[in-house]
Amino acid sequence: MVYKRSYNNNITPPAPFANLTITHPINKTDTFDVEALVDTGADATLITKSVVENLHLTPNDFADMYDYEGNFVGQKPKYLIGVSFGTFHFNIQAIETDGEPILGRDVLNRLTTVLKGTARLMEMS
């Protein structure tokens, strides 16, 4: 199956986003929907504090965080979650962020992702 989505043209420059459903790791009926930037430069998937609070997630580890220049900036909690979009579902360790949700390479490397910049279309299979 293929997940297709047009780029978000409301930001400059336009970028690929995915509509994700985040699922509690134990109570699978507890879900939270977010729109996340598809970021091939991000090591991991990032979720916001609102996702953590709405799903009553408990951290199970911590991740060292670095800025874009490689400088250590602290630690953030990690959470076991389910992440779904289209027909795809993955159980992953997501890191809490103060920024926006990001779908990172921990998920992207499990798929073939094609970014058609001139057509402003993303396809995942």
Side-chain angles (χ1 to χ4, degrees):
M1 204 52 123
V2 177
Y3 177 80
K4 293 182 182 182
R5 178 126 190 265
S6 296
Y7 279 27
N8 180 338
N9 291 311
N10 295 324
I11 61 172
T12 303
F17 280 75
N19 291 322
L20 308 180
T21 297
I22 309 299
T23 307
H24 190 280
I26 297 169
N27 184 353
K28 308 275 190 221
T29 59
D30 288 349
T31 64
F32 194 82
D33 294 330
V34 298
E35 184 178 56
L37 174 67
V38 174
D39 188 348
T40 62
D43 297 343
T45 295
L46 306 178
I47 57 173
T48 61
K49 186 126 185 114
S50 64
V51 173
V52 171
E53 291 172 349
N54 277 282
L55 294 179
H56 307 289
L57 299 173
T58 304
N60 63 346
D61 202 356
F62 289 87
D64 291 341
M65 302 299 287
Y66 299 87
D67 65 17
Y68 67 94
E69 294 178 328
N71 301 308
F72 178 75
V73 295
Q75 289 190 317
K76 287 289 187 176
K78 292 173 74 173
Y79 303 89
L80 179 62
I81 62 166
V83 61
S84 302
F85 53 97
T87 60
F88 301 110
H89 179 82
F90 304 97
N91 293 315
I92 62 167
Q93 294 277 338
I95 301 168
E96 187 178 313
T97 181
D98 296 327
E100 298 299 318
I102 291 177
L103 185 64
R105 289 192 318 270
D106 57 333
V107 172
L108 298 176
N109 284 349
R110 301 179 192 190
L111 301 166
T112 298
T113 302
V114 178
L115 303 177
K116 298 179 178 181
T118 56
R120 295 188 175 158
L121 179 68
M122 173 187 65
E123 297 178 354
M124 295 177 169
S125 58

